[in-house]
Amino acid sequence: SRLEGRHGATLTDLVARPARYLAVVMTIVLSAVALFAAELLTIWMGQPFATHAAAPLRVLAAAFYFGAFSHVLRAALQGLGRPDLKAKLDFVNVVLFLSLLLWWIPTFGLVGAAGARLAVGIAELCGSLALLSFVAPDALGPPRLWRLLSRAGRAAAAFVLGVIVAALWLRHTAFAYPAFVVCSIACLLVF
């Protein structure tokens, strides 16, 4: 709030730095949850529960990933003196969420409910980015933010690609867990 939308590089760094760290940490943690959802749920709640809850948990992990970045962007909007924009975005998200719930739960069940949350998380992230580029275009416009976030984005993309390859190739073997650890270390090194 002290910067009031001025001091472009400082303001950009206040938003981009936590987003970069979130990209690395959340990518590793939530990829583990998504990749090993069935195993984690089996350990925690037992096999019958894991059978039904693994797919929704995978979708919710992706929703939580996008939501983590939205928290940083919402704080920036409020700090820049525009809590009204956050409130308007929240209203749009509520309407979208309820609409998707009414449509997707009867069709897809629990995965539909989780998918609705994922869709709202993506919409919230995109909406927050658009609003921030409107409020502070010099500091938080797309060219500046994308340039700063590109390294973390490359690390996250490389990690996700590695995890997907490892998951498809080694999924039901004893090598799945070590492969995940190797991909995590590679992600941290790229970051």
Side-chain angles (χ1 to χ4, degrees), residues 39-89:
E39 291 89 341
L40 292 170
L41 288 171
T42 299
I43 292 168
W44 180 38
M45 300 288 288
Q47 181 60 42
F49 183 81
T51 302
H52 298 291
L57 179 59
R58 288 183 179 104
V59 177
L60 285 174
F64 191 73
Y65 184 79
F66 291 110
F69 296 103
S70 296
H71 287 295
V72 173
L73 300 178
R74 283 190 309 242
L77 268 175
Q78 291 174 325
L80 290 169
R82 295 303 307 264
D84 62 311
L85 294 178
K86 184 219 175 276
K88 291 172 185 170
L89 184 59

Side-chain angles (χ1 to χ4, degrees), residues 93-188:
N93 287 338
V94 166
V95 172
L96 176 64
F97 188 55
L98 291 176
S99 301
L100 291 175
L101 282 178
L102 291 173
W103 179 25
W104 288 355
I105 287 178
T107 306
F108 303 109
L110 289 176
V111 174
R117 182 62 195 112
L118 174 59
V120 169
I122 293 170
E124 184 174 14
L125 180 63
C126 294
S128 296
L129 282 170
L131 292 172
L132 277 173
S133 68
F134 169 74
V135 171
D138 293 335
L140 300 170
R144 185 180 288 261
L145 268 183
W146 292 125
R147 187 172 55 250
L148 288 170
L149 295 174
S150 66
R151 182 180 299 154
R154 284 192 303 264
F159 176 75
V160 169
L161 181 62
V163 166
I164 289 170
V165 169
L168 294 175
W169 185 40
L170 304 168
R171 182 63 189 121
H172 295 289
T173 69
F175 297 109
Y177 305 109
F180 182 82
V181 171
V182 168
C183 289
S184 299
I185 292 169
C187 178
L188 291 172

Side-chain angles (χ1 to χ4, degrees), residues 1-17:
S1 353
R2 175 179 53 87
L3 298 174
E4 297 176 352
R6 297 186 301 267
H7 310 291
T10 306
L11 182 58
T12 304
D13 191 51
L14 281 173
V15 173
R17 188 180 321 161

